[in-house]
Structures are given as C-alpha cells and as structure tokens.
C-alpha cells in the first residue's frame, strides 16, 4: 500500500490528492477483521444480562460494567470508553435518519471523532418490531496524523468503534464502545456480541 501511495505521488500528484481515507479502507479493514486472541475465550462463560443506560446488554459472566468501563475479574480493564445515551428526535424509526450505508454518523452524537470514522461493516438488526442499525468504524486521529506519519496519504486508525442505534418513544438511543488495536485483538469478538445484544425494555 505504501509503495502504491508513493508511486501515485511521484507520477500523478493531482491524482494523489483524490485519494481519500475511504480509498485506502483496506488498511482499516485489516484492523477490524483481525482474529481475536485468547481473551475472547471468556465468551464461553455463561452470559448475564445487565442494565446499562436506557437499556440492557448481555456480557460474559466474568465481565462487569461500571460507568464507562467494562472490566473482567482477572484480566482487568477491557475498555474505558463505552456509553449509552438517548436524545429527543422527531423520527419514528432509525431508518428515517437515512440508509444505513449513507447515514451521516455525525448526527448520532458519537464521542470524539467517531462520527468521522470509516464504515468497515454495517448491518440492520431487528429486536421484535424495533429496528437497530449497527456499525464497525475505523476512527482516524482527531487532529490528523502524527508528525512521524505525515508522509502518509492516510492516517492509521487510532480506534475501532462499535455502534448500535435505534429510535424508541421519540428518543434516538445510541450505544457505543471504542477500543485500541490491542484491546480489539483480545476482545473484539466478544464486544461485537455485547453491542448486538443491546436492547430496550
């Protein structure tokens, strides 16, 4: 990928300017699809459903959620960047915000720079009659590339964010969680399952 970027810059400077983060999404995809390591074996532990924010989630039996932190009894902190929130909306369903592949994520009020993240995976989920949208995002640095990476056309993602959103009773409800590369390799599979277990009522 770096050789390709260098070739484009050397031969066609104008074309290089048209290369965006989305054009180089395979780099982010590689991060998202990395096979989780041993820590995801915790998923084999009998799960439990716990209240979180305006809804509930299902987590492995040895996991605990307190505030914005998910931890494990032996392995310690899994992530310190999880939250669930709601905000008033005129929409009756999440699909009124737009198609899942084209929805402006900045409208969801996501933390930090997640609203500008590259969509690596997206899916629709139904819980009864309620529709959820779910995304895996590769999140770029808020303030651009570090000095050591400024020769790159695209900054490496600094975070993987998992997002679930729905609409209920005039409220836009969003669950989100962010992890770094190390956390993702260890807990990505389990955190995806937690995200997809989020429900209301």
């Amino acid at each position: 990928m770096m050789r390709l970027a260098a070739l484009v810059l050397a031969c066609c400077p104008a074309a290089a300017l048209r290369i965006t983060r989305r054009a180089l999404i395979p780099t982010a995809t590689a991060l998202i699809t990395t096979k989780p390591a041993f820590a995801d074996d915790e998923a084999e532990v009998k799960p439990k459903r716990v209240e979180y924010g305006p809804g509930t989630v299902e987590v492995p039996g040895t996991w605990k959620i307190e505030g914005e932190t998910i931890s494990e009894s032996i392995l310690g902190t899994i992530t310190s960047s999880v939250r669930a929130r709601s905000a008033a909306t005129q929409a009756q369903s999440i699909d009124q915000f737009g198609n899942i592949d084209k929805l402006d994520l900045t409208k969801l009020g996501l933390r930090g720079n997640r609203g500008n993240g590259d969509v690596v995976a997206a899916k629709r989920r139904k819980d009864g009659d309620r529709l959820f949208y779910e995304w895996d995002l590769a999140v770029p640095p808020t303030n651009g590339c570090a000095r050591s990476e400024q020769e790159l056309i695209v900054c490496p993602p600094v975070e993987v964010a998992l997002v679930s959103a729905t609409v209920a009773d005039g409220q836009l409800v969003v669950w989100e969680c962010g992890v770094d590369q190390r956390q993702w390799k260890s807990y990505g599979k389990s955190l995806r399952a937690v995200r997809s277990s989020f429900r209301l009522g």
Side-chain angles (χ1 to χ4, degrees):
M1 182 61 70
M2 288 299 299
R3 291 181 180 177
L4 173 60
L7 180 61
V8 174
L9 285 169
C11 298
C12 309
L17 294 176
R18 294 194 295 270
I19 296 181
T20 66
R21 288 187 292 111
R22 297 187 184 279
L24 295 178
I25 196 62
T27 300
T29 303
L31 170 62
I32 295 289
T33 57
T34 299
K35 182 179 179 181
F38 70 92
D40 263 325
D41 290 342
E42 292 296 328
E44 300 301 321
V45 177
K46 184 177 180 180
K48 59 185 179 182
R49 182 160 290 277
V50 298
E51 293 185 2
Y52 190 74
T56 65
V57 291
E58 192 172 86
V59 298
T62 58
W63 286 25
K64 180 170 59 175
I65 302 182
E66 290 183 334
E68 298 185 352
T69 299
I70 298 178
S71 61
E72 201 276 332
S73 58
I74 296 176
L75 299 175
T77 299
I78 294 172
T79 176
S80 297
S81 187
V82 60
R83 70 171 181 171
R85 55 178 292 273
S86 60
T89 179
Q90 297 297 315
Q92 299 299 309
S93 175
I94 187 65
D95 57 1
Q96 292 181 5
F97 280 77
N99 185 284
I100 190 171
D101 296 319
K102 299 180 180 179
L103 190 147
D104 181 359
L105 295 173
T106 62
K107 294 181 179 180
L108 300 181
L110 300 177
R111 168 165 292 174
N113 204 31
R114 293 172 186 170
N116 294 314
D118 287 304
V119 177
V120 180
K123 71 174 184 178
R124 297 160 57 97
R125 170 172 66 91
K126 293 294 288 288
D127 181 28
D129 294 330
R130 184 166 292 128
L131 175 65
F132 286 77
Y133 279 0
E134 296 184 346
W135 297 271
D136 294 5
L137 307 174
V139 183
T142 301
N143 298 316
C145 291
R147 183 178 298 275
S148 61
E149 298 171 336
Q150 288 181 356
E151 72 276 10
L152 303 179
I153 295 176
V154 59
C155 299
V158 295
E159 180 186 54
V160 177
L162 302 176
V163 179
S164 180
T166 190
V167 170
D169 301 323
Q171 297 286 311
L172 168 65
V173 183
V174 178
W175 185 96
E176 58 181 305
C177 172
V179 292
D180 60 26
Q181 295 187 38
R182 178 190 61 80
Q183 293 167 325
W184 177 255
K185 290 178 181 178
S186 296
Y187 306 107
K189 179 181 176 182
S190 295
L191 287 171
R192 267 197 183 124
V194 173
R195 184 266 312 275
S196 294
S197 75
F198 181 64
R199 66 175 55 163
L200 305 179

